Amino acid sequence: MNIKYLLFLIVITIVSCNSKDKKSEYKHMVYHAVHDKDTAVLTLNINDKRFFGHYERSYYQQGKDSGDVRGDIKGDTLRGDFHFISNGGSWKRIPLALLKKENKLYLGSGIITTYFNLPCFMPGTPIEYDNSKFVFEEAKK
């Protein structure tokens, strides 16, 4: 009976150590961007395949959008969604695309449609990064 208990404790210890290692694979990054008098702060936890975090856009003298981001990473592109409260009002969800280039993140824009009641960029149409409203730079530590 004691051997089964000891084996159980060893298995629990191994599993808990492995789960801590998986959490530490994420790198914490903070980015900021300015467009005219509007500002944005993007706080991300990133690994090779996924990201999640918080995004806040402040519109000069008009309020802010604040909420969570999450998604997948493929090559130099981060694609997911932004689930937020718009100007202190109701919850909204929009697609999010960021292109990583030269240590900056360029916010993409494109045609938005819905698929199974979830907003997404329309398949087959390009996402525009060249005229990004926000170009995020890593915040100095």
Side-chain angles (χ1 to χ4, degrees):
M1 187 69 127
N2 287 338
I3 292 177
K4 288 181 183 179
Y5 181 72
L6 180 63
L7 287 174
F8 176 75
L9 287 177
I10 291 172
V11 168
I12 294 296
T13 303
I14 290 171
V15 169
S16 66
C17 289
N18 286 341
S19 64
K20 289 178 186 174
D21 290 342
K22 289 180 182 177
K23 289 180 184 176
S24 66
E25 290 178 11
Y26 282 92
K27 185 176 180 183
H28 183 77
M29 306 289 290
V30 178
Y31 294 91
H32 71 280
V34 177
H35 179 264
D36 295 330
K37 293 185 178 182
D38 300 338
T39 60
V41 176
L42 182 61
T43 305
L44 293 178
N45 296 295
I46 302 174
N47 70 14
D48 292 337
K49 297 180 181 181
R50 306 242 340 124
F51 70 91
F52 66 93
H54 187 79
Y55 182 24
E56 185 171 293
R57 296 187 295 203
S58 298
Y59 304 104
Y60 182 70
Q61 296 183 341
Q62 295 179 4
K64 66 180 178 179
D65 296 338
S66 180
D68 297 322
V69 294
R70 66 183 172 150
D72 298 319
I73 301 172
K74 292 182 181 166
D76 57 359
T77 306
L78 290 74
R79 288 197 56 178
D81 61 35
F82 177 33
H83 189 216
F84 63 100
I85 295 179
S86 178
N87 289 319
S90 61
W91 283 96
K92 295 183 179 183
R93 184 180 304 270
I94 60 171
L96 177 75
L98 298 160
L99 178 66
K100 188 171 188 173
K101 184 168 68 171
E102 299 167 359
N103 295 325
K104 296 179 183 179
L105 294 176
Y106 293 80
L107 181 64
S109 61
I111 300 171
I112 297 175
T113 187
T114 55
Y115 183 72
F116 287 112
N117 213 23
L118 290 173
C120 60
F121 289 110
M122 183 176 281
T125 62
I127 297 174
E128 175 67 36
Y129 297 102
D130 291 333
N131 297 316
S132 291
K133 182 173 182 180
F134 288 114
V135 177
F136 292 91
E137 296 184 22
E138 189 175 351
K140 303 293 182 212
K141 296 179 183 181

